[in-house]
C-alpha cells in the first residue's frame, strides 16, 4: 500500500520540493521518511524553527544552485581544461558563498543555531579574485597577462593596417570597384572588383557574387598582413590556454573545499526549505512525546484553503487507544483522519504542523487504508482491496503504530462487513496501537460504546440546512442523517415509513418520532424489537417482500422489482433493468412497497413478461393455441 498517496503526503512533498533550490535538497525531500530517533527528531524540528526565524527576520538566504559546479568538478576529475564559462560559474558560486556567510553571521547576535553553519563554509577569496581578474564576459580578459595584452594590441594594429591598405587600393582604383566598402569573405579581408577588371588588381580571388559579376579579391599587400595576423592569433591562443590551465589548476587545488561547501549549501537549502514551507502553510512547531499521546488543536489539512477550512480538535492517548468516527456522507470524516495522520507524519519528518498547538507522539510506523482500492488490472474489488490492506496492516502493527482505516468493513454484505469490522477493531485493540477509524455501521458504534480504551466520535451535521459543519466531537456517536435529509428534501411520509420499517423493523415507527427515538449508539430503539424479530423470523421471511415491491440491492444500491417473494431458504428473485437475479434477503432493502406503486388487481406480468409472452398467455386463456411461453433463467 502507498501510504503517502493515500493521505496525500506526496502532494505536500511536491510543494516542499519546489521551495528547495539545489538538486541534492530536492532528492532528500523526495526520499524523506519518518525519524525514529527522539533526539534526532528534536534537532530536526529545532532546525525548522530556527530557519523560520531567520527567514522572518532577514528574508530569503542567498543560496546558489550548485548543480553546474558539481559537473565542473567532474570535468576536473577527467583532466579537462575549464572554459571561461565554467570558470565564471565557479566564481559566481564563490561569490554566493561569501554572501551566504554574511547572511548567517547576522543571526549570531540573535543566538540562532543555524547561524553557526557559517563556520563550515570556506570562502576561498583568493581563487575568486583570481578568476574575477582574468575572466570577464565568458572570455579571458585582455589584461589577464602582459603577454596577452601585447599580443592583442598587435592583432588590433595588424587588422587596422589591413583595412587601411584595402581602403587605399579601393580609392586609387574606384573605376574597378563594384562597391565602396571592403568585406570579409572566408575569414579574409577582400575588396569587391568588377568581373572585367579582376586582372587589374594584384591579389587572390577569394569568392565571387551569386551572379558572377563581382569578384572578391584579397590584395597582395593585405595578404602579407594577414599572414602576420595569423601568427599573432596563434600566439594569442597559446597564451589564453596557459591562463586557463593555470586557473583550472587553482580550482582543482580548491576542489575539496568546494565539495564541502556544496554539501553545506545543500544541507542549508534543505533546512531553509522546511522554514519556507512552515511560513507558506502558516504552521507551528509541535511538541514531541513518547507517551502515546496525540493532541491537535485547531488542526487543518495543509492542502485545504485555510480561509474556508474548519479547524479540527482531536485528542487520543493515555487511556484511549482508538477513536471510531461516524457521521453523514460528505461530512468530513475522511478529511479528518487524513488531517490527523498527515500532521503526525509531517511532525515526525521534522516539519512544522498546520495546527495552533500540537502534542504528537513518536510512532514506529504509519499504516492506513483509505479509498476504495479497486484495481481492475489485479482483479481486486473494493472489498477485496480493503481486506488485503487490512490484513497487511494487522501483520505489521505493533504497540507504537498509528493506524487509520476509512469506511471499515464496507464493500460487502452489511452483516458480514460489520462482523469483520468488529474483529479488526479487536485485533487493533490487542496490539495496543493508536487507531482512528470511520464507519457507518451502528453495531460498531455500539461496540465502541461498550469497549474499554475506545471512544466514539461524530462529525456534526446541521439538520436545518442539510449541510455538514465539519466539526469533530469526541465522546459521542453520530448518525447517517439519511432520514432527516430525505424528509427535508420532500420524500413522502409513506416512503419514510416504509424506509424506517425496512431499516429498523416494524415497531420502530411511531408517528413522527422514529428519527428521534433511535439511540445514538444503537441500531434500533429497544430490545423488544430484537426479541420480536427472533420470535417471528420464519413468518417474517415469508411476508417480508411481496411481488412487485421496489427494493434496493446492496451494496451497489441498484433498484429492482421483486419477481418472486422470499422462499424458505431466505432467497428472493429481483428484476433488475437488464436481468433477473436470485439474492439473499439480507442484501435487499425495501424501497417502495407494491401497494404504493400499482393499483389494486394490477397485472404484474406487464412488468416481468414481454409483450409477446403476454399475447400468447391471453390466447391460451381464450382458446386452444400451439404457442409456447418461454421463461429464461438468469
Amino acid at each position: 500500500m502507498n501510504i503517502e498517496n493515500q493521505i496525500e503526503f506526496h502532494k505536500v512533498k511536491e510543494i516542499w520540493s519546489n521551495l528547495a533550490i539545489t538538486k541534492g535538497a530536492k532528492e532528500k525531500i523526495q526520499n524523506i521518511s519518518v525519524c525514529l530517533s527522539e533526539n534526532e527528531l528534536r534537532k530536526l524540528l529545532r532546525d525548522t524553527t530556527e530557519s523560520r526565524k531567520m527567514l522572518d527576520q532577514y528574508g530569503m538566504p542567498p543560496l546558489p544552485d550548485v548543480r553546474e559546479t558539481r559537473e565542473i568538478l567532474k570535468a576536473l576529475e577527467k583532466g579537462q581544461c575549464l572554459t571561461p564559462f565554467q570558470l565564471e560559474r565557479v566564481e559566481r558560486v564563490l561569490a554566493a558563498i561569501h554572501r551566504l556567510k554574511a547572511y548567517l553571521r547576522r543571526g549570531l547576535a540573535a543566538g540562532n543555531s543555524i547561524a553557526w553553519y557559517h563556520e563550515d563554509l570556506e570562502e576561498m577569496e583568493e581563487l575568486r579574485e583570481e578568476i574575477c581578474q582574468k575572466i570577464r564576459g565568458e572570455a579571458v580578459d585582455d589584461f589577464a597577462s602582459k603577454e596577452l595584452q601585447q599580443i592583442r594590441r598587435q592583432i588590433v594594429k595588424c587588422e587596422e593596417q589591413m583595412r587601411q591598405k584595402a581602403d587605399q587600393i579601393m580609392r586609387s582604383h574606384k573605376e574597378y570597384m563594384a562597391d565602396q566598402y571592403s568585406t570579409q569573405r572566408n575569414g579574409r579581408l577582400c575588396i569587391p572588383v568588377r568581373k572585367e577588371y579582376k586582372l587589374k588588381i594584384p591579389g587572390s580571388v577569394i569568392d565571387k557574387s551569386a551572379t558572377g559579376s563581382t569578384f572578391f579579391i584579397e590584395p597582395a599587400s593585405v595578404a602579407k598582413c594577414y599572414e602576420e595576423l595569423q601568427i599573432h592569433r596563434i600566439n594569442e591562443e597559446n597564451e589564453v590556454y596557459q591562463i586557463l590551465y593555470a586557473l583550472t589548476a587553482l580550482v582543482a587545488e580548491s576542489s575539496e573545499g568546494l565539495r564541502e561547501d556544496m554539501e553545506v549549501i545543500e544541507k542549508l537549502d534543505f533546512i531553509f526549505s522546511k522554514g519556507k514551507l512552515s511560513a507558506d502553510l502558516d504552521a507551528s512547531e509541535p511538541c514531541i512525546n513518547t507517551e502515546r499521546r496525540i493532541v491537535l488543536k485547531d488542526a487543518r489539512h495543509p492542502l485545504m484553503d485555510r480561509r474556508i477550512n474548519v479547524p479540527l480538535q482531536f485528542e487520543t492517548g493515555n487511556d484511549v487507544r482508538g477513536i471510531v468516527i461516524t457521521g453523514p456522507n460528505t461530512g468530513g470524516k475522511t478529511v479528518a483522519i487524513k488531517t490527523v495522520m498527515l500532521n503526525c507524519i509531517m511532525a515526525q519528518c521534522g516539519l512544522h504542523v498546520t495546527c495552533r498547538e500540537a502534542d504528537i507522539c513518536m510512532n514506529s510506523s504509519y499504516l492506513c487504508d483509505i479509498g476504495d482500492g479497486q484495481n481492475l488490472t489485479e482483479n481486486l474489488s473494493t472489498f477485496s482491496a480493503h481486506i488485503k490492506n487490512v490484513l497487511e496492516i494487522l501483520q505489521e502493527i505493533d504497540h507504537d503504530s498509528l493506524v487509520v482505516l476509512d469506511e471499515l468493513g464496507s464493500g460487502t454484505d452489511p452483516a458480514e462487513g460489520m462482523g469483520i469490522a468488529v474483529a479488526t477493531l479487536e485485533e487493533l485493540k490487542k496490539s495496543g496501537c493508536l487507531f482512528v477509524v470511520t464507519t457507518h455501521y451502528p453495531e460498531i458504534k455500539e461496540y465502541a460504546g461498550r469497549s474499554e480504551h475506545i471512544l466514539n466520535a461524530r462529525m456534526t451535521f446541521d439538520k436545518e440546512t442539510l449541510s455538514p459543519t465539519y466539526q469533530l466531537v469526541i465522546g459521542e456517536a453520530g448518525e447517517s442523517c439519511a432520514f432527516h435529509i430525505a424528509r427535508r428534501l420532500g420524500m413522502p411520509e409513506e416512503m419514510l415509513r416504509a424506509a424506517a420499517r425496512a431499516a429498523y423493523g416494524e415497531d420502530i415507527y411511531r408517528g413522527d418520532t422514529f428519527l428521534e427515538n433511535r439511540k445514538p449508539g444503537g441500531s434500533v430503539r429497544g430490545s423488544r424489537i430484537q426479541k420480536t424479530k427472533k420470535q417471528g423470523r420464519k413468518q417474517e421471511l415469508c411476508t417480508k417482500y411481496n411481488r412487485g415491491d421496489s427494493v434496493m440491492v446492496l451494496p451497489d444500491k441498484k433498484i429492482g422489482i421483486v419477481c418472486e417473494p422470499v422462499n424458505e431458504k431466505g432467497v428472493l428473485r429481483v428484476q433488475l433493468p437488464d436481468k433477473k437475479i436470485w439474492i439473499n434477503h439480507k442484501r435487499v432493502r425495501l424501497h417502495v412497497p407494491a401497494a404504493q406503486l400499482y393499483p389494486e388487481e394490477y397485472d404484474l406480468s406487464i412488468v416481468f413478461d414481454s409483450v409477446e409472452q403476454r399475447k400468447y398467455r391471453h390466447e391460451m386463456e381464450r382458446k386452444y393455441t400451439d404457442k409456447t411461453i418461454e421463461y429464461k433463467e438468469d
Side-chain angles (χ1 to χ4, degrees):
M1 69 189 78
N2 193 329
I3 293 174
E4 288 190 2
N5 287 359
Q6 288 190 42
I7 65 169
E8 300 178 290
F9 186 47
H10 68 295
K11 294 182 180 179
V12 175
K13 286 168 60 174
E14 184 177 348
I15 297 172
W16 181 12
S17 180
N18 290 334
L19 297 173
I21 296 171
T22 63
K23 181 180 178 181
K26 291 178 182 291
E27 289 177 350
K28 189 173 182 179
I29 291 169
Q30 292 302 322
N31 298 324
I32 196 74
S33 60
V34 295
C35 179
L36 300 179
S37 167
E38 182 186 358
N39 291 335
E40 184 179 349
L41 178 58
R42 293 188 186 280
K43 181 185 181 303
L44 292 174
L45 288 170
R46 186 171 61 252
D47 285 347
T48 305
T49 302
E50 296 294 274
S51 66
R52 171 77 182 272
K53 290 179 181 178
M54 289 283 288
L55 291 167
D56 291 342
Q57 292 175 348
Y58 310 116
M60 291 293 176
L63 289 163
D65 187 356
V66 297
R67 187 181 310 177
E68 287 184 339
T69 309
R70 288 198 178 278
E71 293 175 357
I72 290 170
L73 293 181
K74 289 180 181 178
L76 283 177
E77 292 175 356
K78 297 177 182 178
Q80 297 177 7
C81 178
L82 299 183
T83 64
F85 174 84
Q86 291 173 319
L87 288 166
E88 273 199 344
R89 293 301 176 275
V90 173
E91 187 274 330
R92 289 183 184 179
V93 169
L94 294 175
I97 291 172
H98 175 76
R99 293 193 300 271
L100 183 58
K101 283 179 72 73
Y103 174 88
L104 293 173
R105 287 193 195 100
R106 295 167 67 186
L108 287 176
N112 194 304
S113 61
I114 300 294
W116 292 103
Y117 277 100
H118 83 92
E119 294 185 349
D120 297 331
L121 291 170
E122 185 179 353
E123 289 191 67
M124 292 175 275
E125 279 297 311
E126 293 181 1
L127 175 61
R128 185 167 74 91
E129 291 176 3
E130 191 72 16
I131 296 175
C132 284
Q133 289 175 1
K134 297 185 177 180
I135 306 295
R136 189 168 299 174
E138 298 181 6
V140 177
D141 191 72
D142 292 348
F143 301 96
S145 69
K146 291 182 179 180
E147 292 79 2
L148 182 62
Q149 184 179 4
Q150 292 175 357
I151 291 171
R152 286 183 174 172
R153 283 178 180 173
Q154 292 296 326
I155 290 174
V156 171
K157 182 179 178 181
C158 193
E159 288 175 343
E160 184 63 27
Q161 288 178 353
M162 291 170 63
R163 281 191 293 271
Q164 290 176 358
K165 290 181 181 293
D167 291 343
Q168 184 180 358
I169 294 172
M170 291 180 70
R171 285 194 299 271
S172 58
H173 300 86
K174 287 183 180 180
E175 65 276 14
Y176 301 156
M177 300 297 112
D179 203 347
Q180 300 178 3
Y181 305 100
S182 59
T183 183
Q184 290 280 343
R185 290 296 173 115
N186 298 329
R188 301 293 188 98
L189 183 64
C190 303
I191 57 176
V193 180
R194 294 177 185 176
K195 177 182 179 182
E196 57 270 23
Y197 299 116
K198 66 177 182 177
L199 298 178
K200 298 290 186 178
I201 303 296
S204 304
V205 176
I206 304 300
D207 199 1
K208 65 178 180 178
S209 65
T211 61
S213 61
T214 301
F215 280 73
F216 296 96
I217 297 176
E218 181 186 39
S221 58
V222 172
K224 292 180 180 179
C225 292
Y226 179 77
E227 292 175 0
E228 183 181 351
L229 176 65
Q230 289 302 101
I231 293 173
H232 290 317
R233 285 179 173 168
I234 291 172
N235 293 334
E236 178 195 26
E237 183 178 359
N238 291 335
E239 183 61 22
V240 165
Y241 271 113
Q242 286 185 13
I243 294 169
L244 291 178
Y245 275 119
L247 292 175
T248 300
L250 290 176
V251 175
E253 290 176 2
S254 305
S255 60
E256 191 62 33
L258 275 171
R259 286 192 180 89
E260 293 176 358
D261 280 353
M262 286 188 292
E263 289 176 2
V264 175
I265 289 170
E266 289 177 344
K267 188 173 183 179
L268 285 169
D269 185 27
F270 175 76
I271 293 172
F272 277 107
S273 69
K274 295 192 295 179
K276 294 174 188 176
L277 183 66
S278 173
D280 286 359
L281 298 179
D282 192 20
S284 60
E285 181 182 0
C287 296
I288 299 298
N289 69 77
T290 57
E291 300 169 2
R292 310 301 298 146
R293 180 179 66 253
I294 299 175
V295 180
L296 305 179
K297 295 182 180 180
D298 291 344
R300 53 187 168 81
H301 195 291
L303 301 178
M304 293 184 68
D305 189 341
R306 70 191 72 172
R307 294 171 296 181
I308 62 174
N309 184 267
V310 178
L312 175 74
Q313 316 301 328
F314 180 85
E315 183 174 353
T316 187
N318 298 324
D319 192 48
V320 178
R321 314 301 289 179
I323 302 290
V324 176
I325 304 176
T326 51
N329 288 327
T330 70
K333 298 189 300 298
T334 302
V335 173
I337 61 177
K338 283 184 177 181
T339 300
V340 172
M341 179 166 273
L342 195 48
N343 276 281
C344 289
I345 285 184
M346 288 173 65
Q348 207 163 339
C349 287
L351 297 173
H352 284 178
V353 295
T354 49
C355 307
R356 179 172 56 83
E357 292 181 21
D359 187 9
I360 297 173
C361 63
M362 299 278 292
N363 295 295
S364 61
S365 60
Y366 290 86
L367 305 166
C368 70
D369 176 39
I370 300 175
D372 61 22
Q374 193 176 65
N375 191 321
L376 298 179
T377 59
E378 296 182 10
N379 195 27
L380 281 179
S381 67
T382 298
F383 177 70
S384 300
H386 278 304
I387 289 298
K388 182 174 179 289
N389 287 342
V390 168
L391 291 176
E392 289 180 4
I393 288 171
L394 294 179
Q395 289 176 353
E396 296 180 26
I397 57 172
D398 57 29
H399 178 271
D400 296 321
S401 298
L402 175 60
V403 179
V404 165
L405 301 176
D406 192 24
E407 299 295 349
L408 182 60
S410 64
T412 187
D413 181 281
E416 296 174 356
M418 179 275 298
I420 291 175
V422 171
T424 302
L425 290 177
E426 278 290 331
E427 290 299 315
L428 292 174
K429 190 169 72 167
K430 288 177 184 177
S431 72
C433 70
L434 296 179
F435 60 91
V436 186
V437 303
T438 68
T439 184
H440 281 293
Y441 291 130
E443 293 84 356
I444 297 181
K445 291 184 274 187
E446 290 180 344
Y447 167 82
R450 65 174 182 268
S451 298
E452 292 183 352
H453 311 302
I454 301 179
L455 284 181
N456 273 310
R458 66 181 178 92
M459 301 302 298
T460 56
F461 187 83
D462 190 332
K463 296 176 183 178
E464 295 300 321
T465 62
L466 300 183
S467 59
T469 60
Y470 305 107
Q471 294 281 358
L472 178 67
V473 179
I474 297 178
E476 299 178 12
E479 53 184 338
S480 66
C481 297
F483 288 146
H484 290 289
I485 296 172
R487 169 176 280 178
R488 289 296 305 276
L489 293 177
M491 179 175 280
E493 195 67 23
E494 286 299 319
M495 290 182 64
L496 283 171
R497 191 177 290 118
R501 283 197 299 268
Y504 305 118
E506 296 292 336
D507 297 336
I508 191 63
Y509 190 86
R510 289 290 181 271
D512 291 331
T513 61
F514 73 95
L515 291 175
E516 288 76 12
N517 286 337
R518 286 185 60 201
K519 291 183 178 180
S523 59
V524 294
R525 186 180 57 184
S527 59
R528 182 171 60 84
I529 298 170
Q530 298 290 349
K531 184 177 180 181
T532 303
K533 284 187 176 181
K534 293 179 180 178
Q535 291 175 346
R537 178 173 176 77
K538 291 183 179 179
Q539 182 181 357
E540 184 181 333
L541 285 179
C542 298
T543 61
K544 191 170 185 180
Y545 301 106
N546 298 314
R547 194 165 186 259
D549 285 349
S550 174
V551 295
M552 179 182 291
V553 178
L554 301 175
D556 299 329
K557 297 185 179 180
K558 293 182 178 179
I559 303 299
I561 304 295
V562 176
C563 304
E564 299 179 26
V566 182
N567 59 25
E568 66 278 1
K569 295 183 180 179
V571 176
L572 70 156
R573 200 174 195 202
V574 177
Q575 168 75 60
L576 295 176
D578 55 346
K579 60 182 177 180
K580 294 184 178 72
I581 63 170
W582 291 98
I583 188 168
N584 190 287
H585 73 282
K586 293 181 180 179
R587 293 185 58 192
V588 175
R589 294 288 181 270
L590 182 65
H591 186 222
V592 183
Q596 296 181 24
L597 291 173
Y598 314 105
E600 292 184 10
E601 300 181 358
Y602 183 78
D603 185 6
L604 289 173
S605 65
I606 295 174
V607 179
F608 304 122
D609 297 341
S610 66
V611 175
E612 187 177 4
Q613 288 175 338
R614 285 189 286 108
K615 180 181 177 183
Y616 292 163
R617 183 181 291 106
H618 183 64
E619 289 184 11
M620 288 180 181
E621 291 174 353
R622 291 192 305 108
K623 62 181 181 178
Y624 171 78
T625 176
D626 58 355
K627 304 296 185 182
T628 302
I629 298 177
E630 297 181 358
Y631 290 94
K632 183 180 178 182
E633 293 291 336
D634 296 318

